[in-house]
Amino acid sequence: MGEGSVDGVFLLILLAVPAVVALGIWYQRHRVGLARKFAESAGWEYVGSDSGLVTRWYGTPFDVGRSRRTSEVVRGRFRGRPATSFGYRYTTGSGKNQSTYTFHVVAIDLPAYLPTLTLTPDGLGAKIAKGLGGQDIQLESEEFNARWRVEARDQKFAHDVVNPRLMHRMLAPDAYGLSLRIEGTSILTWTMGSPRYEDVVRRLQVLCAIADAVPRFVWLDHGYDPGTP
């Protein structure tokens, strides 16, 4: 490579770096604009980031990787329940093996602490996990069992919550492909990629359906009476 070619490459690099930086700044502002627009239309609050969300949950996609952070945090109420939507990101590996993963998390708050219960699509990954000894609680509906994988340490709790009413609801098109979990005082769903605001209401509807399916006796067992104001 001649001296002129080297100078040309160097010049291209000098021009490319500011362009990449400018594109990154524009994209961040664009994402913030989308979050603010959604918050305004829904009557919610735009928060931006919240480090407390990073350590609030322990199941997927949390508690792995490093440089864990949130973005596009918006909060409000949906059908009377406190709700949150945000982007979550973490990094694994280093050097050439470094990878960054981004998720869109939507959650609603519960009035009492409940055992962990996970519902994930029963696809190829689930079949591999089950083949390696992973749990899949079988319920009364064959159609539901074919579509969903159910995991819970407390199997009685799983049977009480994933009752015929909820199984029927989870076969509806708006629940298809979601990963969902009851954990502590929350029900959450997560998907890979940046927040998709056109999907927030759909996901909240499914989360509320799960909360509505929790029987009264289960709430009472965990210190909450749904009959109280």
Short mmCIF file of all heavy atoms in Angstrom, two decimals, residues 8 64 66 71 82 109 197 204 210 226:
data_model
loop_
_atom_site.label_atom_id
_atom_site.label_comp_id
_atom_site.label_asym_id
_atom_site.label_seq_id
_atom_site.Cartn_x
_atom_site.Cartn_y
_atom_site.Cartn_z
N GLY A 8 -5.16 8.18 2.65
CA GLY A 8 -6.58 8.14 2.33
C GLY A 8 -7.37 7.36 3.37
O GLY A 8 -8.46 7.77 3.79
N VAL A 64 -27.09 -11.79 35.30
CA VAL A 64 -25.99 -12.34 34.48
C VAL A 64 -25.25 -11.17 33.85
O VAL A 64 -25.78 -10.06 33.71
CB VAL A 64 -26.51 -13.28 33.38
CG1 VAL A 64 -27.11 -14.54 33.98
CG2 VAL A 64 -27.51 -12.58 32.48
N ARG A 66 -22.24 -8.25 33.02
CA ARG A 66 -21.74 -7.06 33.73
C ARG A 66 -22.26 -5.82 33.02
O ARG A 66 -22.97 -5.92 32.01
CB ARG A 66 -20.21 -7.07 33.73
CG ARG A 66 -19.57 -6.89 32.37
CD ARG A 66 -18.05 -6.87 32.44
NE ARG A 66 -17.47 -6.46 31.17
CZ ARG A 66 -17.31 -7.24 30.12
NH1 ARG A 66 -17.69 -8.52 30.19
NH2 ARG A 66 -16.77 -6.78 29.00
N SER A 71 -32.65 1.71 30.64
CA SER A 71 -32.90 2.91 29.85
C SER A 71 -34.37 2.95 29.48
O SER A 71 -35.09 1.94 29.60
CB SER A 71 -32.02 2.93 28.60
OG SER A 71 -32.35 1.84 27.75
N PRO A 82 -49.81 -0.65 39.30
CA PRO A 82 -48.56 0.02 38.92
C PRO A 82 -47.83 -0.79 37.86
O PRO A 82 -47.69 -2.02 37.97
CB PRO A 82 -47.77 0.04 40.24
CG PRO A 82 -48.80 -0.12 41.32
CD PRO A 82 -49.86 -1.00 40.73
N ASP A 109 -46.83 -4.50 39.22
CA ASP A 109 -46.61 -4.80 40.64
C ASP A 109 -47.77 -5.61 41.19
O ASP A 109 -48.93 -5.44 40.78
CB ASP A 109 -46.48 -3.51 41.45
CG ASP A 109 -45.21 -2.74 41.10
OD1 ASP A 109 -44.37 -3.28 40.35
OD2 ASP A 109 -45.08 -1.60 41.56
N TYR A 197 -42.85 0.07 21.76
CA TYR A 197 -43.96 0.70 22.46
C TYR A 197 -45.32 0.30 21.91
O TYR A 197 -46.32 0.36 22.62
CB TYR A 197 -43.78 2.21 22.46
CG TYR A 197 -42.56 2.59 23.27
CD1 TYR A 197 -41.35 2.93 22.64
CD2 TYR A 197 -42.59 2.55 24.65
CE1 TYR A 197 -40.22 3.23 23.39
CE2 TYR A 197 -41.47 2.85 25.41
CZ TYR A 197 -40.29 3.19 24.77
OH TYR A 197 -39.17 3.47 25.51
N LEU A 204 -49.07 -5.82 28.71
CA LEU A 204 -49.72 -5.51 29.98
C LEU A 204 -51.04 -6.26 30.13
O LEU A 204 -51.39 -6.70 31.23
CB LEU A 204 -49.95 -4.01 30.10
CG LEU A 204 -48.70 -3.15 30.34
CD1 LEU A 204 -49.04 -1.67 30.21
CD2 LEU A 204 -48.09 -3.44 31.70
N ILE A 210 -52.83 -12.77 34.02
CA ILE A 210 -52.21 -13.70 34.97
C ILE A 210 -52.53 -13.28 36.40
O ILE A 210 -52.90 -14.12 37.25
CB ILE A 210 -50.69 -13.76 34.75
CG1 ILE A 210 -50.38 -14.31 33.35
CG2 ILE A 210 -50.03 -14.63 35.82
CD1 ILE A 210 -48.91 -14.27 32.99
N PRO A 226 -57.84 -9.87 48.73
CA PRO A 226 -58.25 -9.05 47.58
C PRO A 226 -59.61 -8.40 47.79
O PRO A 226 -60.01 -7.53 46.99
CB PRO A 226 -58.31 -10.07 46.43
CG PRO A 226 -58.46 -11.38 47.10
CD PRO A 226 -57.74 -11.29 48.41
#
